[in-house]
Amino acid sequence: MKIIKNLSPSVISQIITHLRTIPMKEDKSNYARNRKIQWIGVEPQLFATQDTLKTAKKAYQDARITKFCELIMPFKVDFILITYSGEQASGINWHRDASYAKALAGTINLGKCSFGMRERSGTYSSDSEEKEQWITLTGGEVVTFDCKHPHCAIPDPNRRAIHCWSSSGK
């Protein structure tokens, strides 16, 4: 994981103000109970066996968020997910992202959060070593990471984030 940019307090405030206008819904993931989410543009089918862009369904349309993500991420952005931890500080447990996404992912962090990642040396065999690393994010960081490694987020209350992926083409 790597912090590639830090946003100014003014930009953070403008983004959060805009995100508050976007309708959120309950996350259905078993890994993220009570978290609120909204897909922007299209929503991938998490376990699609065909081209993920062809099987994606239309989601909430927001040209401002889409353009911002396209400008800030160092890769082609096909999928955007807005998350909100709420008053209960609901994050997401250890998981790997599904096959809809390429390995390189990005997060625009808009609040305090502990972000964990586990990487194994070599293959995922019982004798490979697992390295766990944590980073404390305070707000405004743009982070890239390999989403095929297990990762999790433990947010403070009312933390918002924007997550971006490229389609794997699968």
Side-chain angles (χ1 to χ4, degrees):
M1 80 181 98
K2 179 180 177 186
I3 296 174
I4 62 167
K5 185 174 184 70
N6 285 291
L7 304 176
S8 71
S10 171
V11 170
I12 296 167
S13 177
Q14 289 175 40
I15 295 168
I16 290 172
T17 297
H18 181 71
L19 291 179
R20 287 184 179 135
T21 69
I22 296 173
M24 305 295 280
K25 53 190 177 182
E26 289 289 327
D27 193 335
K28 295 177 185 171
S29 168
N30 292 328
Y31 299 105
R33 296 280 185 214
N34 300 314
R35 184 175 76 159
K36 305 282 191 229
I37 65 164
Q38 183 61 265
W39 287 96
I40 303 296
V42 294
E43 179 179 349
Q45 300 305 297
L46 298 183
F47 301 102
T49 56
Q50 302 170 6
D51 185 315
T52 53
L53 286 174
K54 288 181 181 173
T55 60
K57 56 185 180 178
K58 190 172 182 179
Y60 186 82
Q61 302 299 303
D62 191 302
R64 186 174 175 190
I65 293 297
T66 300
K67 185 69 172 170
F68 179 71
C69 292
E70 289 171 346
L71 289 171
I72 207 159
M73 288 298 162
F75 54 83
K76 182 181 183 303
V77 175
D78 294 312
F79 304 115
I80 301 169
L81 178 66
I82 308 294
T83 60
Y84 175 59
S85 68
E87 298 281 331
Q88 298 172 329
S90 299
I92 189 163
N93 292 321
W94 291 103
H95 70 287
R96 292 183 188 94
D97 291 349
S99 62
Y100 67 85
K102 285 187 177 178
L104 182 63
T107 293
I108 301 165
N109 178 57
L110 300 166
K112 192 168 183 193
C113 175
S114 293
F115 182 75
M117 185 158 204
R118 293 178 180 155
E119 295 182 81
R120 287 191 185 263
S121 59
T123 62
Y124 278 86
S125 62
S126 60
D127 61 345
S128 64
E129 282 189 46
E130 187 171 79
K131 178 182 161 191
E132 187 171 299
Q133 54 181 322
W134 287 88
I135 186 169
T136 299
L137 304 173
T138 58
E141 301 89 352
V142 179
V143 180
T144 57
F145 63 99
D146 185 337
C147 70
K148 302 307 177 184
H149 291 286
H151 54 283
C152 69
I154 304 169
D156 275 10
N158 300 309
R159 181 242 188 185
R160 295 176 192 271
I162 305 170
H163 311 281
C164 303
W165 300 267
S166 289
S167 172
S168 64
K170 294 181 179 176

